[in-house]
Amino acid sequence: ASVIKNAKLAVLLLLGIGTVEALEKAKECGATAVRVATHVTEADIAEQHIKAAKEMGLFTVGFLMMAHMADANRVVEEALKMESYGADVVYVTDSGGAMLPMDVKEKISALKSNLKVPIGHHSHNNLGVSIANSLAAIEAGATYIDGSLLGLGAGAGNTPTETLVAVLNRMNIEHNTDLYKMMDASTKALIPV
């Protein structure tokens, strides 16, 4: 926490495992943001945690996981709950890696049309379409797009940040990332010598 200058130190709070007390400890350790994660059909269990996070002054993200398991109308219904509890952003989270670009576009567009807060998207690469899904999310109006260096993440991994940045460069889409520094970070820090 003491060396971060241009980012938020975030934690993931999985409801049913994580508690408000654990969140308080994370804040004491320097966390400035939290992703309050529920199954896509269970946003109602996040009310206490989102409200507590906001009271602590944390940037609070509603994280609707396994988004492939609900249609766009249900995703909107659940996202509106998270927004009403005080979430700063609501995410369509493809934690199962089962969505296609058309699915992402439909769900992000639906949230964009119905919520006042910004929308985010988190892809897993189980079907090999995490970059395409991220681009579909951007096209549909998502403000936040997740990635991880070298795509490190659960299952088949996440959207590889350095590849996404290269694609965004090719498409002339504005971002605030240096491709070569990102590539250096991924190869020098993550690949054993």
Side-chain angles (χ1 to χ4, degrees):
S2 64
V3 298
I4 294 174
K5 295 183 176 88
N6 299 317
K8 292 175 175 55
L9 179 57
V11 294
L12 178 66
L13 186 68
L14 294 169
L15 300 186
I17 299 171
T19 63
V20 171
E21 292 76 25
L23 189 56
E24 289 169 345
K25 182 65 176 169
K27 179 166 171 54
E28 286 174 24
C29 292
T32 57
V34 59
R35 292 174 176 211
V36 178
T38 72
H39 187 273
V40 70
T41 61
E42 298 175 354
D44 55 321
I45 67 170
E47 181 174 8
Q48 171 191 6
H49 301 83
I50 290 174
K51 287 180 176 179
K54 293 303 295 174
E55 287 173 13
M56 290 179 213
L58 296 171
F59 184 82
T60 305
V61 176
F63 212 59
L64 292 169
M65 300 193 328
M66 302 297 283
H68 72 283
M69 296 185 76
D71 66 21
N73 291 330
R74 182 66 186 268
V75 174
V76 168
E77 179 183 330
E78 299 298 319
L80 285 168
K81 292 176 189 176
M82 289 184 156
E83 181 182 59
S84 77
Y85 305 151
D88 295 299
V89 178
V90 177
Y91 263 70
V92 172
T93 306
D94 185 20
S95 44
M99 291 171 66
L100 297 172
M102 62 187 172
D103 304 318
V104 171
K105 191 171 183 179
E106 176 188 25
K107 291 172 183 177
I108 296 290
S109 295
L111 292 190
K112 190 76 176 158
S113 296
N114 289 281
L115 273 67
K116 295 176 182 73
V117 297
I119 309 305
H121 181 64
H122 178 97
S123 287
H124 282 247
N125 204 27
N126 300 47
L127 298 175
V129 292
S130 65
I131 296 287
N133 283 349
S134 297
L135 295 174
I138 292 168
E139 184 180 323
T143 304
Y144 293 87
I145 303 294
D146 285 0
S148 62
L149 294 178
L150 295 177
L152 292 177
N158 300 109
T159 302
T161 306
E162 58 283 358
T163 306
L164 179 60
V165 170
V167 171
L168 295 175
N169 285 352
R170 289 287 314 267
M171 296 180 71
N172 295 315
I173 296 174
E174 294 268 337
H175 57 83
N176 190 24
T177 307
D178 183 301
L179 173 62
Y180 297 105
K181 287 181 181 177
M182 188 67 56
M183 290 168 60
D184 287 346
S186 65
T187 56
K188 291 178 182 173
L190 296 178
I191 298 174
V193 185

